[in-house]
Amino acid sequence: MRELTVDLGERSYHIYIGEGLLNEADTYFSKHGISNKSPLLIITDTNIAPLHLAFLEERLQGGGFKAFSAVVPSGEGSKSLSMLEELIAKALDAGLDRKSTIVALGGGVVGDLAGFVAASFMRGVKFVQIPTTILAHDSSVGGKVAVNHPKAKNIIGAFHQPEFVLYDLNLLQTLPPREVRSGLSEVVKHGLIWDASFVQWCEDHADRLLALDADSLGYALHNGCSVKASVVSQDERENGLRAILNLGHTIGHAIEAVGGYNGLQHGEAIAIGMVGSAKLGVRYGAPEEVYTTTKRVLAKCELPTALPEHFDVDAIMEAMMHDKKFAEGTMVFIVPSAIGEVEIKSDVPVAWVREIVEELKLEVEQL
Amino acid sequence: MRELTVDLGERSYHIYIGEGLLNEADTYFSKHGISNKSPLLIITDTNIAPLHLAFLEERLQGGGFKAFSAVVPSGEGSKSLSMLEELIAKALDAGLDRKSTIVALGGGVVGDLAGFVAASFMRGVKFVQIPTTILAHDSSVGGKVAVNHPKAKNIIGAFHQPEFVLYDLNLLQTLPPREVRSGLSEVVKHGLIWDASFVQWCEDHADRLLALDADSLGYALHNGCSVKASVVSQDERENGLRAILNLGHTIGHAIEAVGGYNGLQHGEAIAIGMVGSAKLGVRYGAPEEVYTTTKRVLAKCELPTALPEHFDVDAIMEAMMHDKKFAEGTMVFIVPSAIGEVEIKSDVPVAWVREIVEELKLEVEQL
Ligand SMILES: NC(=O)c1ccc[n+]([C@@H]2O[C@H](COP(=O)([O-])OP(=O)(O)OC[C@H]3O[C@@H](n4cnc5c(N)ncnc54)[C@H](O)[C@@H]3O)[C@@H](O)[C@H]2O)c1
Ligand SMILES: NC(=O)c1ccc[n+]([C@@H]2O[C@H](COP(=O)([O-])OP(=O)(O)OC[C@H]3O[C@@H](n4cnc5c(N)ncnc54)[C@H](O)[C@@H]3O)[C@@H](O)[C@H]2O)c1
Ligand SMILES: [Zn+2]
Ligand SMILES: [Zn+2]
């Protein structure tokens, strides 16, 4: 079992990572002062519920907790205010009170949604995260919770830190392969911004990670969480440093937006975005290996590293403009200066970004 | 001009109370670091907009602020998630960003709603309160913001402190008389829980308060805010002491709930509730004058002090049970031990409460 602390003063919390942790869910809940007098509500989605919900409920009920559950449709669409309203109704019907706890059993969607329920129900109750995806190593650190508005993603939310995070690696065994790859993209990102040796390790262990080898997964998630925790504990409310977590995301978000429903997954889009950022880094004088290594490690994780032919450069630039990070022909960009090191550049010429996006289309996939 | 500080560590803020403060709204905004680069959104309601919105907009625009506005229907119904969604759309359309500010121009309804917009938009932006009711002296201290759920009032919200509060007494001149009386009920409450001399002052100045005499109003609001600020700064997240602010509210909420739409206003219902609490205090050994003084000062403010004939005692008790403050035949109650002093009693026999409610029906109005 691996363990780490997200250091946020009085809001600090622990992340436990290991196989079979859910077997002792009740022990963890007791140890962290979760009330067994007030009912608690587990929120999960329609894919995860049939696989893992009953087991968690049994463990908690067996330990004397009054566990209720709510299952939302899987997918980004559940991160909405109307789903919030439904879940608050469930919480009230189950008799939850100010000493109750909301438990997220799921990936980033469930985590963000359940987290906002916890942040806003009775102006804030306790929150526990039980992540079931690799990507959720990212969303379970930092306390950002939110739902979407028809006009913008993640625009209605809060900062609400969990009591603790219980990362049972066994839950990941049922994850569809495309979700595995997509999650690894953020793992690699955490290496690229902070820790060159971890990038090397990812390259060496990509096969084992893709095969969901528990020990490799545990190490990767521990390192990914640690990097994010270091960044977040220096900048909880996103005033500066936290921006480096957006490596690859400016181009990536635009690719996602343009791709629409049949497009690329988040992790896939940011993989291409990170290759773009690496190219930009090289333009700014970083050694060529920043680009070659970035591309190689992502390819080993079976992530795309080139922009598929059918994507339109104009549409991608348009989507980026929409993101409002532009100011008079320049934009803010997270740019690698070496593997494991990035800089926040606030005056990247838009023209350069456009050239990079064009190059990404000509890029040859490395397999 | 009167001034006070709500002392909450790094979340401390100032309340300015005086005549004509809105004339210098732009100066206050600048002084408190409100950005004139990022657009700001004023939220108000359909009663207040025609009276006071244009003036505020002019002052702010004149001072170089990019002020946009949104007008919601007046009344409790606007404290909803669907209104939140509409307002977030307005904020996005107006181009608000993370450095923007939400301004509440209104009473408790607008304050609670706009405050929750500010708390949740982009996970929290700045918030300024410009109260237009007497009751809002209560809601503008303490940072509680919320919307309602069809199943429960104020159940979805946050703690989000404003940057500052600008209380222009001129705005109160347009307040309907029933709103004036209702607001005074909470002013008196702040005296009853904390400050006997202020209760005496309220009795002596009730006529002037009802006539909206600016100097008396300024003094009353300053004192009311100060009491609430003292309580809140000792218990920001409502873990203990803050409960004393609920004097009269347990019975009061039940009266409101039973009354339905044609029933009593909040301030009226809690006035009756405070008479009930005073009677309970006397039962517990407080001097008789706790009851007589409470009744006299409320009557001077032209507030009801007896339960109207048509109210059903069973229905009121039922509504209280619903509030879930009962445990095995006893309940938590805020009980005065002297004028200006209350105790939190956690084991008040339900039977006593019932008797008090019955007595409240037999009470003779004092005029
Ligand atoms: N809060 C943050 O800091 C943060 C950071 C990154 C991403 N996010 C958010 O996270 C979301 C994406 O997260 P995600 O990729 O985990 O998506 P997700 O939660 O939708 O999970 C992906 C898919 O896998 C399924 N699934 C999850 N666990 C499973 C399991 N163990 N077995 C089988 N199927 C399983 C889900 O039902 C879903 O269909 C986005 O909404 C994004 O905004 C938040
Ligand atoms: N956040 C808190 O700590 C807190 C505390 C107490 C009450 N509240 C909330 O406050 C709300 C009640 O507040 P309220 O009594 O101010 O109600 P309100 O905001 O609805 O105002 C009462 C009425 O007066 C009108 N009005 C307001 N200002 C006016 C003016 N200057 N001229 C003419 N008309 C005017 C309004 O349009 C409304 O019709 C409730 O929703 C309650 O939950 C919150
Ligand atoms: Zn991401
Ligand atoms: Zn009240």
Side-chain angles (χ1 to χ4, degrees), chain A residues 123, chain B residues 45-48 51-52 73-76 79 106-112 129 131-136 138-146 148 153-154 170-176 179 182-183 186 189 228 242 249 265-266:
Chain A
R123 301 195 182 84
Chain B
D45 79 18
T46 44
N47 288 338
I48 303 157
L51 299 168
H52 307 294
S74 71
E76 191 68 26
K79 280 175 57 177
V109 163
V110 164
D112 281 10
Q129 293 240 38
T132 66
T133 66
I134 294 174
L135 184 130
D138 186 2
S139 53
S140 64
V141 180
K144 278 192 178 181
V145 297
N148 302 324
K153 248 198 94 167
N154 292 330
N170 291 349
L171 301 181
L172 303 177
Q173 297 303 321
T174 54
L175 210 52
E179 300 298 340
S182 208
E186 304 274 7
K189 180 195 79 180
K228 182 149 186 198
R242 204 163 163 159
H249 279 63
Q265 290 236 357
H266 178 70

Side-chain angles (χ1 to χ4, degrees), chain A residues 173-193:
Chain A
Q173 297 301 322
T174 54
L175 210 50
R178 197 171 177 192
E179 300 297 342
V180 173
R181 295 193 294 265
S182 208
L184 290 179
S185 188
E186 304 274 6
V187 171
V188 170
K189 179 194 79 180
H190 287 126
L192 289 173
I193 63 174

Side-chain angles (χ1 to χ4, degrees), chain B residues 311-353:
Chain B
F311 276 86
D312 180 49
V313 174
D314 285 337
I316 289 174
M317 293 310 292
E318 179 96 6
M320 258 188 267
M321 302 291 279
H322 201 77
D323 244 13
K324 295 228 183 66
K325 281 159 199 148
F326 283 87
E328 294 165 22
T330 66
M331 59 187 303
V332 182
F333 236 94
I334 313 304
V335 182
S337 45
I339 290 294
E341 256 180 60
V342 291
E343 286 172 6
I344 305 179
K345 292 226 181 272
S346 58
D347 54 356
V348 177
V350 173
W352 285 24
V353 177

Side-chain angles (χ1 to χ4, degrees), chain A residues 159-178:
Chain A
F159 287 90
H160 194 66
Q161 307 296 343
E163 297 300 306
F164 66 99
V165 176
L166 200 61
Y167 223 134
D168 184 341
L169 300 170
N170 291 349
L171 301 181
L172 302 177
Q173 297 301 322
T174 54
L175 210 50
R178 197 171 177 192

Side-chain angles (χ1 to χ4, degrees), chain A residues 205-349:
Chain A
H205 294 74
D207 291 348
R208 266 168 275 184
L209 289 170
L210 289 167
L212 294 170
D213 166 61
D215 195 51
S216 304
L217 267 184
Y219 181 85
L221 295 176
H222 183 268
N223 268 50
C225 289
S226 299
V227 170
K228 182 148 184 197
S230 301
V231 173
V232 162
S233 64
Q234 286 173 55
D235 179 21
E236 186 178 0
R237 307 285 300 205
E238 197 168 12
N239 296 314
L241 182 69
R242 205 164 164 160
I244 70 172
L245 298 168
N246 292 326
L247 177 71
H249 279 62
T250 302
I251 294 177
H253 280 154
I255 294 174
E256 266 185 290
V258 168
Y261 290 105
N262 291 315
L264 294 171
Q265 289 235 358
H266 178 70
E268 295 165 343
I270 67 155
I272 302 169
M274 288 190 284
V275 175
S277 308
K279 291 170 84 72
L280 198 54
V282 173
R283 258 206 205 205
Y284 272 110
E288 183 74 13
E289 62 127 17
V290 165
Y291 160 67
T292 52
T293 302
T294 298
K295 193 166 170 181
R296 212 171 50 239
V297 61
L298 292 169
K300 285 257 184 184
C301 294
E302 297 181 3
L303 285 158
T305 57
L307 188 61
E309 187 52 40
H310 70 276
F311 276 86
D312 181 50
V313 175
D314 285 336
I316 289 175
M317 293 310 292
E318 179 96 5
M320 257 189 266
M321 302 292 280
H322 202 76
D323 244 13
K324 293 228 183 66
K325 280 160 198 145
F326 282 88
E328 295 167 20
T330 67
M331 58 187 303
V332 182
F333 235 92
I334 314 302
V335 182
S337 45
I339 290 294
E341 256 179 60
V342 290
E343 286 172 5
I344 306 179
K345 293 227 181 272
S346 57
D347 54 356
V348 178

